[in-house]
Amino acid sequence: MRKPLILFGILATLWSCDTGGKAEVKTEKINPTTYWGENPWPEIRKKRINQLLPEALKNAGVDAWLVICRENYNDPIATHVGGENASGTAAFLFYTDQTGFHSLVFSPEGEATALDDLNIHEKVERIPRGESAVAKAVDFIKKSGFAKIAINSSESNAMADGLTHSQYLDLSDLMGKDVSKLISSDELVYEWLSIKLPEEVEILKKAAQLAADFQVEAYKIIEPGKTTDAEVAKFLKSKMAEYGVTDAWHPDQNPNVNSGPDRGHSHATNKVIMPGDVIQTDFGVKLYGIWVSDIQRFAYVLKDGETEAPSDIQKYWENSKAGSRIALAAMKPGVKGEDVDRAQRDLMDANGSLYVPWSTGHPVGYVAHDVGPNLGGARIPTPRPAAQKLLKKGMTFAFDGFHCWKQADGTEKTISVEEMAVVTDTGAEYLIAPQEDLILVGKK
């Protein structure tokens, strides 16, 4: 059983936003005795299957969805359907018929009892040793007369591409003349995973607040002329260990602390942080092994005699903030991801920003770059298909407010203050209070 994690001094932030992106923030201290408690994923997963998956099947025009799970090299969707502990090959079938939505698992006998105890699925059918769970599932599919059966084979969505070549060959052979009924689960997985339940949004708020608070604390340890980017990153790693959270993406690049020119997605180097530097930290944490945050906080290192950032740096900061606010205001149900990007790009052009190659934002939730609409493409000839997708209530995003300029040495530097937001009925709301002011390193 996982040991509860104690929260010391983390701020809980509540706010509301109008569609213009103005945040009204109320902050309260969480009691130090508060703890994460037991992992809520089992109950949330069950709710996601029974409440969100039927609608996803309908929206994707699919009669049934077959997921094949197995030991060691499992399907990436396994945790979402309850197949993460598969030993022998198991077949998970989700379908709708005239009586409603159903979930049926064909499981090897050795794992069937444990799977049934989880009470996730309507029925777990035991498959005796030596018999094929997939063959049993195909028999059921054929008898049911489903017209479209989604399988996890996709060219564009990694979460919908878990079926191996050998599994596909086996499945095709079993389907015989009905093999033409198999279609990609791409659209189905997109429809299902892109929407987060309200209780998931609450967890994402906690993950975002931790990432933001840790970064603010990390900037306080900097000694200009001595501390390196890597040492700030090491401090953030120690905070993760202290609070029992893990990396939101690959550990080598989380966190990315960069006080030099733009490096994009990168690792923190041994560059010494100097007066006059603008510091970017791109950082995220994972809670309960499921939900992740992706937050960036920016700081300026004061030079001798300075009490605030120079006027040009302050202007770039304000432009970046304005980009974040206008992007948030553009996030509404029914809007294309490309249109959110365009709203910010137009402002960047008006403010004299150099071109920034990165998208304004991306879905975030189960991974840092999650399934859902891409908030990009407004300045490229052929935007990716995900940028043409429509935003829906319950989608969660990490997105940047951009301003890029050329430094005296000819290199480029971008302020890309990154926040997280959820789409609501009428617009979007920040998950936590956005960064309002540049953090000043070295201020007495």
Side-chain angles (χ1 to χ4, degrees):
M1 181 177 293
R2 182 169 179 165
K3 185 178 179 180
L5 305 175
I6 307 299
L7 291 181
F8 294 101
I10 295 299
L11 296 180
T13 308
L14 307 173
W15 63 92
S16 61
C17 291
D18 61 24
T19 55
K22 295 180 180 178
E24 181 179 320
V25 183
K26 294 172 66 177
T27 304
E28 58 178 309
K29 201 85 167 179
I30 291 180
N31 190 301
T33 61
T34 302
Y35 62 94
W36 298 122
E38 294 302 315
N39 191 338
W41 176 241
E43 288 304 314
I44 288 176
R45 172 172 57 185
K46 190 186 306 182
K47 194 172 180 180
R48 288 189 56 82
I49 289 172
N50 290 297
Q51 291 189 11
L52 299 182
L53 187 50
E55 186 70 12
L57 285 164
K58 178 182 176 183
N59 291 343
V62 171
D63 300 308
W65 180 29
L66 178 63
V67 180
I68 299 173
C69 295
R70 67 178 185 178
E71 189 176 23
N72 295 330
Y73 193 75
N74 213 340
D75 192 294
I77 208 75
T79 300
H80 293 268
V81 300
E84 67 273 17
N85 293 316
S87 180
T89 299
F92 293 72
L93 188 64
F94 306 91
Y95 64 95
T96 53
D97 59 18
Q98 64 275 14
T99 65
F101 171 76
H102 305 280
S103 59
L104 171 62
V105 184
F106 298 88
S107 171
E109 203 164 24
E111 291 83 49
T113 298
L115 182 58
D116 205 13
D117 286 346
L118 293 177
N119 195 31
I120 299 172
H121 302 285
E122 186 176 11
K123 183 180 179 182
V124 177
E125 184 169 323
R126 297 167 178 271
I127 305 303
R129 185 180 296 274
E131 297 186 21
S132 168
V134 177
K136 292 290 186 181
V138 169
D139 286 344
F140 181 87
I141 288 169
K142 289 182 175 181
K143 290 175 183 176
S144 300
F146 299 131
K148 292 183 179 180
I149 304 99
I151 57 172
N152 291 347
S153 180
S154 171
E155 294 180 357
S156 59
N157 185 347
M159 291 298 292
D161 195 36
L163 198 69
T164 67
H165 182 63
S166 60
Q167 286 174 326
Y168 178 77
L169 292 177
D170 180 46
L171 180 59
S172 298
D173 184 58
L174 290 168
M175 289 292 293
K177 62 182 179 62
D178 291 324
V179 69
S180 60
K181 295 182 178 181
L182 300 178
I183 65 171
S184 172
S185 66
D186 194 349
E187 190 65 20
L188 168 63
V189 170
Y190 172 91
E191 289 285 340
W192 190 36
L193 293 191
S194 65
I195 306 297
K196 304 302 185 287
L197 292 168
E199 48 265 63
E200 294 183 282
V201 174
E202 292 303 311
I203 295 169
L204 289 172
K205 289 179 182 180
K206 294 178 181 179
Q209 194 66 60
L210 281 174
D213 288 349
F214 290 172
Q215 290 177 71
V216 172
E217 189 174 347
Y219 285 135
K220 294 177 181 178
I221 72 160
I222 295 174
E223 293 184 54
K226 293 180 61 178
T227 307
T228 66
D229 291 349
E231 287 170 339
V232 177
K234 185 177 180 180
F235 175 86
L236 288 168
K237 289 288 193 184
S238 72
K239 295 301 295 184
M240 291 170 59
E242 178 185 349
Y243 282 81
V245 296
T246 55
D247 290 287
W249 53 87
H250 198 281
D252 286 351
Q253 294 191 356
N254 184 50
N256 172 16
V257 180
N258 177 27
S259 62
D262 289 344
R263 290 171 55 84
H265 293 112
S266 176
H267 59 279
T269 70
N270 287 320
K271 179 195 172 298
V272 176
I273 298 169
M274 300 299 293
D277 283 343
V278 173
I279 314 173
Q280 167 198 22
T281 299
D282 190 0
F283 179 54
V285 300
K286 179 181 286 188
L287 299 189
Y288 303 110
I290 299 291
W291 296 276
V292 307
S293 57
D294 186 3
I295 292 286
Q296 293 186 46
R297 292 292 179 255
F298 277 76
Y300 173 75
V301 185
L302 295 170
K303 297 178 181 178
D304 286 343
E306 289 182 333
T307 58
E308 59 186 24
S311 59
D312 58 342
I313 299 298
Q314 187 61 37
K315 178 183 176 182
Y316 302 152
W317 167 253
E318 295 299 333
N319 290 346
S320 176
K321 271 201 327 182
S324 174
R325 304 309 187 264
I326 203 167
L328 182 81
M331 291 185 205
K332 300 176 182 178
V335 170
K336 289 182 180 180
E338 179 185 357
D339 294 333
V340 177
D341 187 52
R342 182 175 293 107
Q344 175 170 212
R345 299 285 172 178
D346 290 346
L347 183 66
M348 290 168 64
D349 291 345
N351 287 336
S353 172
L354 298 178
Y355 176 72
V356 173
W358 307 291
S359 297
T360 286
H362 53 81
V364 64
Y366 303 123
V367 290
H369 290 208
D370 206 352
V371 175
N374 168 253
L375 308 183
R379 292 292 188 270
I380 58 177
T382 307
R384 69 181 77 174
Q388 305 304 309
K389 294 286 192 178
L390 303 182
L391 275 63
K392 295 183 179 182
K393 177 184 177 181
M395 289 181 172
T396 49
F397 294 94
F399 66 103
D400 300 82
F402 289 132
H403 189 92
C404 179
W405 70 98
K406 193 173 291 290
Q407 302 184 110
D409 62 0
T411 61
E412 292 183 357
K413 185 70 178 181
T414 303
I415 292 179
S416 52
V417 56
E418 188 170 26
E419 307 290 354
M420 290 173 62
V422 59
V423 178
T424 67
D425 285 316
T426 58
E429 297 177 354
Y430 286 114
L431 291 195
I432 63 172
Q435 183 177 356
E436 296 289 354
D437 301 303
L438 266 175
I439 297 165
L440 299 178
V441 174
K443 187 172 184 178
K444 303 301 182 183

